[in-house]
């Protein structure tokens, strides 16, 4: 497990400045100096037209291999990923290659890391500079409609946010096994932004008309109103089925702290609900309630 890896320093994970220290192999106490093994390396420039900033950014070149660019795209797509999960999925468990590539991106300040306490699990996110690099690679294997994110949101929610990558892997396997193909990943951030922008336009209307128009807003984004609230999933996957027809599935990662009302609302919205093995045990009694009556899937 990567939580045992030696780290050069131990800054607070919620530090406002990026922590780009490199990661050492377990027990070494030293930065990993191994070079990425990919033979294809590109000089990529930061895109000053990033929607995250209107300021002009001096152009800067980065040495990023094709494999590293894919890692950045994964991290940016899900906002944060645990290093252990990234190694297991992207690098087929090859810790040496994972560390070499991640360290290269940390050194160039394209990635930022966070270390959770007390288990010392390591989480990764893009820096603002890193976010611009995959955005500049549209047309090179990256969906032009895919949104990329940078920065951790809330320290206490990092573990849950990182688990969305695990959620994706589980459901993507099901889609692939049925002959389908995932075409786009949509996080709750993107859906909330769209919904909130539309709801803000209704603020001047009478309350009864706002309630009526709320359903229209929800329908525009393929969402549902349950008990007066638009329900937004943790993750939406757009995909093509085996017959190349467009489809989508909305996923919720429930925790043992979810209240009955929250579960009922998510179930009423038609979300497919997942939970960790330990959380699933706590949630199953509630899922058997006649108001919910839905299977809970285990990560």
């Amino acid at each position: 497990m990567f939580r045992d890896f030696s780290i050069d320093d131990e800054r607070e994970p919620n530090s406002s400045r990026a922590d780009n220290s490199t990661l050492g192999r377990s027990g070494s106490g030293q930065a990993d100096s191994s070079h990425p093994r990919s033979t294809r390396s590109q000089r990529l420039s930061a895109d000053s037209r990033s929607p995250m900033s209107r300021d002009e950014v001096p152009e800067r070149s980065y040495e990023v291999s094709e494999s590293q660019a894919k890692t950045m795209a994964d991290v940016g797509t899900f906002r944060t990923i645990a290093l252990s999960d990234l190694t297991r999925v992207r690098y087929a468990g090859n810790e040496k290659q994972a560390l070499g590539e991640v360290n290269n991106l940390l050194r160039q300040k394209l990635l930022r890391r966070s270390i959770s306490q007390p288990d010392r699990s390591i989480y990764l996110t893009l820096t603002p500079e890193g976010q611009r690099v995959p955005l500049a690679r549209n047309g090179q294997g990256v969906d032009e409609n895919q949104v990329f994110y940078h920065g951790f949101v809330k320290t206490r929610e990092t573990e849950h946010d990182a688990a969305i990558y695990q959620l994706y892997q589980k459901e993507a396997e099901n889609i692939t096994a049925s002959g389908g193909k995932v075409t786009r990943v949509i996080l709750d951030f993107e859906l909330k932004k769209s919904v909130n922008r539309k709801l803000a336009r209704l603020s001047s209307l009478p309350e009864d008309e706002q309630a009526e128009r709320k359903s229209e807003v929800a329908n525009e984004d393929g969402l549902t109103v349950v008990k007066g609230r638009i329900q937004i999933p943790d993750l939406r996957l757009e995909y093509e089925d085996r017959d190349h027809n467009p489809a989508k599935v909305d996923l919720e990662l429930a925790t043992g702290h979810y209240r009955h009302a929250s579960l009922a609302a998510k179930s009423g919205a038609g979300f497919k609900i997942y939970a960790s093995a330990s959380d699933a045990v706590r949630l199953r009694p509630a899922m058997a309630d006649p108001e919910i009556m839905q299977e809970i899937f285990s990560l």
Side-chain angles (χ1 to χ4, degrees):
M1 295 293 292
F2 280 96
R3 67 185 60 174
D4 297 325
F5 283 11
S6 296
I7 307 299
D8 290 347
D9 58 27
E10 298 181 21
R11 297 179 188 137
E12 289 297 319
N14 59 349
S15 171
S16 60
R17 72 186 177 94
D19 180 356
N20 298 101
S21 304
T22 53
L23 309 172
R25 285 191 288 273
S26 181
S28 69
Q30 300 292 328
D32 183 9
S33 60
S34 61
H35 294 288
R37 296 190 295 177
S38 173
T39 57
R40 297 186 62 186
S41 183
Q42 306 173 30
R43 284 189 176 273
L44 303 177
S45 298
D47 186 351
S48 61
R49 297 169 298 174
S50 167
M52 299 300 294
S53 174
R54 296 183 179 182
D55 298 327
E56 288 296 321
V57 179
E59 183 174 309
R60 177 182 170 188
S61 294
Y62 301 93
E63 290 289 342
V64 178
S65 69
E66 183 177 356
S67 175
Q68 291 163 15
K70 289 179 179 179
T71 289
M72 291 175 64
D74 275 5
V75 174
T77 295
F78 295 93
R79 190 153 209 159
T80 180
I81 297 179
L83 178 58
S84 56
D85 289 334
L86 187 71
T87 301
R88 175 176 53 83
V89 176
R90 276 278 302 119
Y91 297 96
N94 188 331
E95 296 181 2
K96 182 177 180 180
Q97 184 184 7
L99 281 178
E101 297 202 351
V102 167
N103 276 333
N104 181 56
L105 298 174
L106 287 169
R107 279 191 291 267
Q108 297 186 80
K109 295 182 172 55
L110 297 173
L111 285 182
R112 175 188 172 190
R113 62 161 201 180
S114 173
I115 310 167
S116 67
Q117 301 296 342
D119 64 352
R120 294 181 62 79
S121 294
I122 299 170
Y123 300 97
L124 301 169
T125 190
L126 293 182
T127 61
E129 295 86 351
Q131 185 214 31
R132 298 185 186 105
V133 172
L135 281 173
R137 298 183 72 255
N138 289 342
Q140 301 183 46
V142 177
D143 189 325
E144 64 180 9
N145 295 314
Q146 183 62 60
V147 176
F148 294 93
Y149 300 90
H150 77 270
F152 299 106
V153 183
K154 296 179 181 178
T155 302
R156 60 186 173 84
E157 296 178 3
T158 299
E159 183 177 357
H160 177 273
D161 291 346
I164 300 302
Y165 184 61
Q166 300 174 28
L167 179 62
Y168 164 78
Q169 298 298 332
K170 272 284 186 181
E171 190 61 24
E173 286 176 8
N174 296 333
I175 291 172
T176 302
S178 63
K181 176 185 177 183
V182 176
T183 55
R184 189 179 174 199
V185 175
I186 303 175
L187 300 188
D188 60 347
F189 305 104
E190 185 175 351
L191 291 169
K192 288 176 182 176
K193 181 178 180 180
S194 175
V195 167
N196 289 335
R197 183 174 61 247
K198 295 169 185 175
L199 289 177
R201 299 172 186 161
L202 308 180
S203 59
S204 61
L205 300 177
E207 288 189 12
D208 57 343
E209 189 173 350
Q210 285 189 44
E212 182 180 340
R213 296 286 298 277
K214 184 180 289 186
S215 293
E216 297 177 8
V217 168
N219 289 335
E220 288 176 10
D221 285 296
L223 299 170
T224 305
V225 177
V226 178
K227 295 183 178 180
R229 301 193 65 177
I230 298 177
Q231 299 299 316
I232 296 179
D234 284 324
L235 177 66
R236 168 176 288 176
L237 298 185
E238 293 182 350
Y239 65 97
E240 292 181 355
D241 63 18
R242 66 171 61 203
D243 298 317
H244 304 291
N245 297 314
K248 69 176 177 65
V249 59
D250 288 334
L251 309 170
E252 184 73 13
L253 180 59
T255 70
H257 302 294
Y258 267 46
R259 296 178 179 178
H260 178 276
S262 296
L263 285 172
K266 301 297 184 182
S267 176
F271 298 166
K272 187 172 182 179
I273 301 177
Y274 280 82
S276 67
S278 58
D279 284 331
V281 172
R282 300 183 209 172
L283 295 171
R284 282 200 173 99
M287 302 301 287
D289 187 292
E291 188 180 3
I292 302 177
M293 289 296 292
Q294 181 175 327
E295 181 179 359
I296 185 167
F297 298 88
S298 182
L299 283 183

